[in-house]
Amino acid sequence: MKAAFELAGEPRATLGRTDSRRLRKAGKVPAIMYGGGEAPEALVLDHNSLRNQMSKEAFYTSILTLKIGSKAQQVVVKGVERHPARPQIMHMDFQRVREDVEITLTVPIHFTGEAEAKGVKDQGGVVDHLMTDVEVRCLPRYLPEFLTLDVTALELNQIYHLSDIKLPEGVTLVALAGGNDHPVVAVNLPRAEEIDIPVETETPAGEVPALAQAEPGKEGEAAAAAGGEAAKPDAKGGAKAPEAKGGGKPEGKKKE
């Protein structure tokens, strides 16, 4: 059974950005109600009361009762503007509902049987949601809170499309009616980042790892091979600088 939502609103006499800021500081939410063959009407709602009801998913896909003084109007939510940094509702859009006129609304898709899906349980795949909501068209009395898609039989590399969703009575999918049978969910192999595989650093062919290039005690040979001459140990165990080639002592100044 769908939840019943009731909102209390007041007519908004003054319009403009300055008045909107004033209302928000006072804990109010500016709103607009339109459609149903009547002129648009500016409203004001209580922020905290509205936010409490908006915490329920069904709020966005239900026929709401909006009371303005002694008048009650059936509406649906058509737009929500939120503050980018704070948990604050900035503005609301409502569309009037008439029982004999179809409405178009976006409803969520609930997926069932994901853990038991054949492609997951037996074939090592993961469920990939390609769509999480869909636009429907119906009379207000047929409006569903959500649509359900069972993926228990979904196999690896298999895809379910919009046409695989079982629709309630009187409900049509806007995209499907337009000839667009979009993919909705699939089971695929896990991506590389989802698999915990140790990464090994490969050594290019023909190269020797740096730590293995020089053996213990072979530093001098490695230096000589590189074009230099290794320092030779002296009698005290220290390093002795290599002698200059071409003679022992430097030549002195010749006597003329």
Side-chain angles (χ1 to χ4, degrees):
M1 181 178 179
K2 295 189 67 172
F5 296 93
E6 290 188 0
L7 300 174
E10 300 174 2
R12 180 181 174 185
T14 308
L15 303 178
R17 294 185 178 180
T18 301
D19 186 68
S20 294
R21 287 194 292 267
R22 178 186 62 81
L23 290 172
R24 294 182 185 114
K25 288 181 179 179
K28 303 294 183 180
V29 179
I32 186 75
M33 179 174 62
Y34 55 83
E38 301 180 31
E41 185 176 354
L43 307 171
V44 178
L45 293 86
D46 180 73
H47 182 274
N48 290 339
S49 176
L50 179 62
R51 188 173 64 176
N52 289 338
Q53 299 209 53
M54 291 177 66
S55 63
K56 302 177 179 65
E57 182 188 55
F59 177 87
Y60 302 91
T61 55
S62 296
I63 305 298
L64 314 175
T65 301
L66 180 54
K67 292 184 177 181
I68 308 167
S70 59
K71 179 183 176 181
Q73 175 67 55
Q74 303 297 304
V75 298
V76 291
V77 177
K78 292 298 289 184
V80 180
E81 181 183 348
R82 303 177 188 271
H83 193 280
R86 298 194 299 267
Q88 182 181 9
I89 305 163
M90 305 292 287
H91 194 273
M92 293 288 296
D93 287 9
F94 297 102
Q95 179 183 333
R96 297 186 185 94
V97 170
R98 291 176 50 181
E99 289 297 326
D100 58 341
V101 178
E102 286 188 331
I103 58 176
T104 301
L105 206 64
T106 299
V107 300
I109 303 173
H110 288 186
F111 299 93
T112 62
E114 293 189 17
E116 295 78 23
K118 185 175 181 180
V120 174
K121 190 174 181 180
D122 301 332
Q123 299 170 327
V126 293
V127 176
D128 188 8
H129 299 143
L130 307 177
M131 296 180 67
T132 56
D133 52 44
V134 64
E135 198 173 32
V136 302
R137 181 182 295 121
C138 61
L139 291 173
R141 63 178 177 273
Y142 295 131
L143 181 62
E145 181 179 328
F146 55 84
L147 297 177
T148 302
L149 181 56
D150 186 2
V151 299
T152 305
L154 195 60
E155 298 186 15
L156 186 65
N157 298 325
Q158 185 180 3
I159 300 175
Y160 279 173
H161 294 75
L162 290 175
S163 57
D164 294 304
I165 300 177
K166 294 181 179 180
L167 299 175
E169 178 188 0
V171 177
T172 60
L173 300 181
V174 175
L176 197 57
N180 299 311
D181 194 7
H182 298 303
V184 177
V185 62
V187 173
N188 301 314
L189 287 174
R191 292 183 287 270
E193 59 267 22
E194 296 176 352
I195 306 175
D196 188 14
I197 300 178
V199 179
E200 296 183 0
T201 303
E202 296 184 358
T203 302
E207 293 188 10
V208 181
L211 295 178
Q213 287 180 357
E215 297 180 7
K218 299 294 183 178
E219 292 85 351
E221 295 179 9
E229 184 175 352
K232 299 179 181 180
D234 58 12
K236 296 182 179 180
K240 186 176 181 181
E243 296 180 356
K245 293 182 179 180
K249 298 181 181 179
E251 294 182 358
K253 187 176 180 180
K254 294 183 178 179
K255 294 182 180 181
E256 295 179 356

